[in-house]
Amino acid sequence: MESCRLLWIIFISATLFLYVPGIMVFHKEFQNAGKEPGLQIWRIEKMDLKPVPKQLQGNFFTGDAYVVLYTTSAPSYNVHMWLGNECSQDEGGAAAIFAMQLDDHLGGAPVQYREVQNNESVTFLGYFKTGIKYKQGGVASGFQHVVTNDMNVKRLLHIKGRRAIRATEVNMSWASFNRGDCFIVDLGKDIYQWCGSECNRFERLKASEVAIGIRDNERNGRASLEMVEDGAEPQAVLAALGPKPNIPAGSPDDETTDRSNQKKGTLYMVSDAAGSMKTSLVAQSSPFKQEMLTPTECYILDNGVDSKIFLWKGPNANTEERKAAMKVAEQFIKDKNYPKNTQVSDLELAPGGETTLFKQFFSNWKDKDQTTGPGQAYSIGRIAKVSQVPFDASSLHSNKTMAAQHGMVDDGSGKVQIWRVEGGDKIPVDPSSYGQFYGGDCYLILYTYRQGSREQHIIYTWQGLKCTQDELAASAFLTVKLDDSMGGSPVQVRVTQGQEPAHLMSLFKGKPMIIHMGGTSRKGGQSQTGSTRLFHIRQSSTRATRAVEVEPTASQLNTNDVFVLKSPGGLFQWKGVAASEEEMAAAKYACSFLGGSATEISEGKEPAGFWSALGGKKDYQTSKSLQKTVKPPRLFGCSNKTGRLIAEEVPGDFTQSDLATDDVMLLDTWEQVFVWIGNDANEVERNGADKIAKDYVDSDPSGRRGTPVITIKQGFEPPTFTGWFQAWDAKMWDTDPLDRIRARF
């Protein structure tokens, strides 16, 4: 049997690779891999690669294996091999081979991860802010990733988690329910979000985001949504599930990370001495010294008690050790009797590509371009030699694979029409102001492009964070009405302010998105523009630049960004010490529409008139760590209800809305640690906040001590805290977030 499997693995390898002396011919699917920032996902189908449509990224069949590539604007790369609980060994082997091939194609620059269903890394979960969905079945059962308007769907999804959201398809039966969680009863044209009597508001909020994503992405906006309370189920739900029995209580959420375990790291060296791969102990426990890593060797950093294993491959290590390291790690997991779902991070061609989680085990880590202290030059990773090419609209039209990989139907050069929702109707927006939005309004954006000889349409429904519930309802109604008037052919995409997809941003021809305060559909008409206005300009990790109007006060300033100030005394363009040139270019555009000649000023050289216009000089975020940090900031939701520290990290780029008001949150900026106490946090968490912070710092595997800890309460945040969030809104919690998201139904 073992010999048959060996022959099968050799066959798979032969079909996936073609070696010529000194040359490797890569799979055609990798031709455009890594050429643009963002996410690309492929599924293993009959030992071949098939791209997953952009709209369905985040959906994973439990019987399949996937290869996932995330490219940053640096560029740097993360390659993930994802394995479903029911995928075959052959599919898993094929995914591993494809991941290696993709790594080689990108010059060895990526960090590789081995992901297992229900135990994905925080890095992986961060790509899917509205959660990931596990679907039953797989390619062997005939299940395909297809965007469809099929309304004959009938499934039940169990929503679990507060930070890392997972939606798992379960049996369509009341036996799958419990009172502590939310569930989505998906009946195709009607989607019901069922909320258990014991689930909290934050869980309802996250479940609603999943439900909205199903409607907007999987049904192209052509389904109705309804939130259902436990005990008030409509007839359609009862008809689908049968008579309702007594529902059991919920179980504790086990999707947490015990920080106290992380200090138990052990370091091993991997060598091929005596003709076989062996591991030898280097250091029994962290913190380690960076000097322990020799460039000619490979190492395993064992954090198995926290279900994590790291592989560090020295840039000068021999080929045999490098290629065998992953297999050695898997054998290591078996020898240690660690769970099969233990995560493996393969840090290829380090130094330079190490992750934050890896570096935290070292007390003296310095990156390649770092000199001394935080705030110095930070190298994300070795840049692979991949040619960077601009979008070619004709190629995108003719190459569906390229369009799916880039998440772009074209380069945004088609026809754009924009309407503002006003008085229950849509009012055309002057084309000269396209790209400018009011945070208190909703907009309809119709994009028309040609695909071959056919005309295609996308309707973006943009909803400002400060719009009214009436406007939210009207925007949804007007979207459906516009869709119907065009024969139901357009793709519908609902967009919340600050979460605009790449293609929508491309419609503004490289200009930043401008978001004004106020709105136009107010009693008495247009909101009055203030005599003094301040715009916060920041470029995101995906290179999208936004200029967001904020309260004109000096506490809003941030040393990492650019601000434009217009006052009766003049127009100022303020550049923080750590701001980028791209942000400066966006600021010049913002100045052009505000009118007048801008005076450029640098941080620290402000004239008196600048401070006077802002109501006087105040404290603001002066840490340069936000953009050029050795260790980027991390946000955790914390709890000690069980008597031990539990800290669950918020995946991906965090925002103000990730601060759960019923939790104690911990923001680690490495120079200092903030403990944020939500208004609805329970007494145990409030009283234990100091212990949470102390345990967090003491459990840091790098052995750091003496880090300043600042405890703050919701509504009383200082600028040193708010500066880590773009366009902090002091009035955000005046409106219940759950009421706002209900209006999106």
Side-chain angles (χ1 to χ4, degrees):
M1 178 64 71
E2 188 62 31
S3 61
C4 291
R5 176 154 298 280
L6 179 60
L7 288 172
W8 178 237
I9 293 174
I10 294 173
F11 170 74
I12 295 173
S13 302
T15 58
L16 301 186
F17 288 87
L18 175 60
Y19 284 97
V20 179
I23 300 175
M24 177 182 284
V25 179
F26 299 100
H27 196 287
K28 66 181 186 307
E29 285 293 338
F30 294 150
Q31 291 176 358
N32 296 301
K35 290 187 176 180
E36 289 292 329
L39 198 61
Q40 296 167 256
I41 302 179
W42 299 270
R43 180 169 72 156
I44 308 302
E45 297 187 11
K46 298 179 180 178
M47 303 308 157
D48 200 1
L49 281 177
K50 297 294 182 182
V52 175
K54 182 74 173 179
Q55 300 97 313
L56 298 182
Q57 289 182 354
N59 289 271
F60 295 91
F61 285 106
T62 60
D64 291 329
Y66 295 77
V67 175
V68 177
L69 171 65
Y70 183 76
T71 305
T72 72
S73 58
S76 62
Y77 311 98
N78 290 334
V79 172
H80 303 259
M81 173 183 65
W82 187 91
L83 306 176
N85 286 342
E86 300 166 5
C87 84
S88 69
Q89 186 172 346
D90 295 334
E91 289 171 326
I97 293 173
F98 276 128
M100 290 168 51
Q101 189 184 38
L102 179 57
D103 182 277
D104 286 338
H105 176 61
L106 296 173
V111 175
Q112 289 190 50
Y113 297 81
R114 177 180 177 270
E115 310 282 1
V116 180
Q117 180 184 336
N118 287 310
N119 291 275
E120 295 86 357
S121 65
V122 172
T123 301
F124 184 85
L125 295 170
Y127 307 146
F128 312 101
K129 288 295 286 184
T130 57
I132 58 178
K133 295 185 281 293
Y134 302 132
K135 293 186 172 184
Q136 294 177 349
V139 64
S141 307
F143 291 95
Q144 299 295 322
H145 284 286
V146 178
V147 181
T148 176
N149 292 323
D150 182 14
M151 297 301 182
N152 296 319
V153 178
K154 188 176 182 180
R155 62 176 177 167
L156 177 65
L157 297 175
H158 180 190
I159 312 301
K160 193 73 173 174
R162 290 169 58 80
R163 250 68 59 170
I165 311 301
R166 294 179 171 88
T168 305
E169 187 173 355
V170 293
N171 289 334
M172 190 78 170
S173 165
W174 284 115
S176 299
F177 285 71
N178 70 74
R179 298 196 304 271
D181 292 328
C182 292
F183 293 77
I184 293 175
V185 182
D186 183 1
L187 302 181
K189 64 182 180 66
D190 297 306
I191 302 171
Y192 299 91
Q193 177 186 329
W194 184 92
C195 303
S197 57
E198 298 172 5
C199 73
N200 60 50
R201 301 175 65 78
F202 197 72
E203 290 168 334
R204 290 167 178 254
L205 187 67
K206 293 299 181 181
S208 295
E209 293 175 354
V210 176
I212 290 171
I214 293 173
R215 177 194 64 188
D216 294 350
N217 297 324
E218 296 187 32
R219 306 290 145 71
N220 286 333
R222 297 182 181 90
S224 66
L225 283 180
E226 183 178 340
M227 190 175 292
V228 174
E229 297 297 330
D230 184 1
E233 294 80 8
Q235 184 58 40
V237 171
L238 296 174
L241 294 167
K244 182 185 176 184
N246 291 327
I247 303 297
S251 58
D253 193 348
D254 58 358
E255 297 177 42
T256 52
T257 300
D258 185 354
R259 290 280 305 183
S260 63
N261 283 338
Q262 292 189 351
K263 61 185 176 183
K264 298 179 181 178
T266 306
L267 188 64
Y268 297 86
M269 180 187 293
V270 179
S271 63
D272 61 349
S276 61
M277 293 295 168
K278 300 292 184 182
T279 59
S280 56
L281 181 66
V282 175
Q284 183 65 49
S285 63
S286 61
F288 311 124
K289 298 291 185 182
Q290 191 173 4
E291 297 76 26
M292 294 177 178
L293 301 176
T294 304
T296 56
E297 304 292 345
C298 296
Y299 295 82
I300 289 177
L301 196 163
D302 174 15
N303 186 217
V305 291
D306 200 30
S307 298
K308 293 182 177 66
I309 298 292
F310 300 88
L311 289 176
W312 188 91
K313 300 177 181 179
N316 301 324
N318 69 52
T319 304
E320 289 74 15
E321 288 177 348
R322 294 171 62 80
K323 292 201 174 292
M326 182 62 82
K327 288 187 177 180
V328 173
E330 292 181 346
Q331 185 60 46
F332 184 91
I333 291 171
K334 293 179 181 178
D335 294 342
K336 292 284 186 179
N337 290 320
Y338 290 151
K340 293 181 180 180
N341 56 27
T342 299
Q343 297 170 10
V344 179
S345 299
D346 186 350
L347 308 176
E348 182 77 19
L349 281 185
E354 297 86 355
T355 63
T356 298
L357 291 177
F358 177 82
K359 290 185 287 189
Q360 70 178 346
F361 287 89
F362 296 80
S363 61
N364 66 334
W365 191 276
K366 287 185 175 66
D367 282 302
K368 180 180 178 181
D369 299 322
Q370 182 192 358
T371 52
T372 57
Q376 303 298 319
Y378 172 52
S379 174
I380 295 180
R382 189 169 68 82
I383 298 176
K385 295 180 179 179
V386 179
S387 59
Q388 301 298 304
V389 295
F391 280 113
D392 181 341
S394 61
S395 296
L396 285 168
H397 290 320
S398 61
N399 189 332
K400 295 181 180 179
T401 300
M402 177 186 282
Q405 289 174 350
H406 289 185
M408 306 275 286
V409 297
D410 66 358
D411 62 354
S413 59
K415 181 182 178 182
V416 179
Q417 293 174 271
I418 303 179
W419 297 270
R420 184 178 59 251
V421 176
E422 193 169 321
D425 202 354
K426 64 182 197 297
I427 307 300
V429 172
D430 189 328
S432 64
S433 62
Y434 281 5
Q436 297 188 41
F437 298 84
Y438 283 87
D441 285 338
C442 294
Y443 295 79
L444 269 60
I445 305 164
L446 175 62
Y447 182 69
T448 304
Y449 65 101
R450 301 200 71 82
Q451 190 171 46
S453 60
R454 296 183 60 188
E455 195 172 68
Q456 305 281 7
H457 308 279
I458 301 174
I459 301 174
Y460 290 105
T461 307
W462 188 92
Q463 300 171 333
L465 292 176
K466 292 293 185 179
C467 66
T468 66
Q469 292 191 20
D470 288 343
E471 289 167 334
L472 285 168
S475 69
F477 171 76
L478 292 170
T479 298
V480 173
K481 188 175 179 181
L482 178 60
D483 181 273
D484 289 343
S485 71
M486 305 179 73
S489 63
V491 172
Q492 296 181 31
V493 182
R494 284 173 174 81
V495 177
T496 301
Q497 176 185 329
Q499 299 180 16
E500 295 81 9
H503 184 258
L504 175 57
M505 298 296 287
S506 76
L507 306 188
F508 311 131
K509 316 304 182 201
K511 298 174 183 176
M513 171 176 274
I514 309 294
I515 301 174
H516 303 269
M517 293 179 68
T520 58
S521 298
R522 299 293 176 269
K523 292 180 179 179
Q526 167 70 49
S527 298
Q528 293 298 312
T529 300
S531 59
T532 300
R533 308 179 70 189
L534 182 65
F535 287 83
H536 182 181
I537 297 164
R538 177 179 289 179
Q539 186 179 49
S540 72
S541 59
T542 57
R543 288 197 274 189
T545 306
R546 297 173 179 85
V548 183
E549 186 175 4
V550 295
E551 293 292 335
T553 174
S555 62
Q556 291 281 0
L557 298 177
N558 192 312
T559 195
N560 297 276
D561 302 323
V562 176
F563 288 77
V564 171
L565 171 65
K566 183 180 183 181
S567 71
L571 184 63
F572 300 94
Q573 183 176 318
W574 184 89
K575 181 183 181 183
V577 171
S580 69
E581 291 304 316
E582 291 85 356
E583 289 164 342
M584 283 294 288
K588 286 183 171 60
Y589 175 74
C591 290
S592 69
F593 77 79
L594 287 172
S597 177
T599 301
E600 293 188 15
I601 53 177
S602 298
E603 183 178 6
K605 298 180 181 180
E606 299 88 354
F610 176 82
W611 295 120
S612 176
L614 290 174
K617 192 172 183 179
K618 299 178 183 177
D619 291 336
Y620 62 88
Q621 172 60 280
T622 56
S623 170
K624 293 179 288 187
S625 299
L626 181 60
Q627 292 187 356
K628 299 180 177 66
T629 179
V630 175
K631 295 179 178 179
R634 302 168 69 190
L635 182 66
F636 298 84
C638 301
S639 170
N640 60 356
K641 296 174 184 176
T642 61
R644 64 189 180 97
L645 174 67
I646 297 296
E648 186 183 9
E649 186 167 2
V650 175
D653 295 334
F654 56 79
T655 65
Q656 185 180 353
S657 62
D658 286 313
L659 297 173
T661 60
D662 60 345
D663 271 346
V664 168
M665 306 292 295
L666 189 149
L667 176 64
D668 183 2
T669 67
W670 300 100
E671 292 176 335
Q672 52 193 359
V673 173
F674 294 92
V675 176
W676 181 89
I677 302 176
N679 288 341
D680 300 322
N682 64 41
E683 287 301 316
V684 173
E685 292 166 335
R686 287 171 178 270
N687 296 334
D690 289 341
K691 184 177 186 302
I692 287 176
K694 182 180 184 301
D695 288 349
Y696 174 83
V697 175
D698 289 348
S699 69
D700 192 299
S702 69
R704 70 174 153 164
R705 296 290 184 270
T707 303
V709 176
I710 299 96
T711 300
I712 58 179
K713 295 181 180 179
Q714 179 183 339
F716 299 92
E717 298 86 357
T720 49
F721 178 84
T722 61
W724 297 95
F725 305 81
Q726 185 180 14
W728 177 273
D729 182 4
K731 299 179 180 179
M732 173 179 168
W733 293 294
D734 290 353
T735 302
D736 189 337
L738 192 58
D739 288 342
R740 182 169 295 278
I741 202 164
R742 273 198 185 111
R744 294 175 62 191
F745 276 44

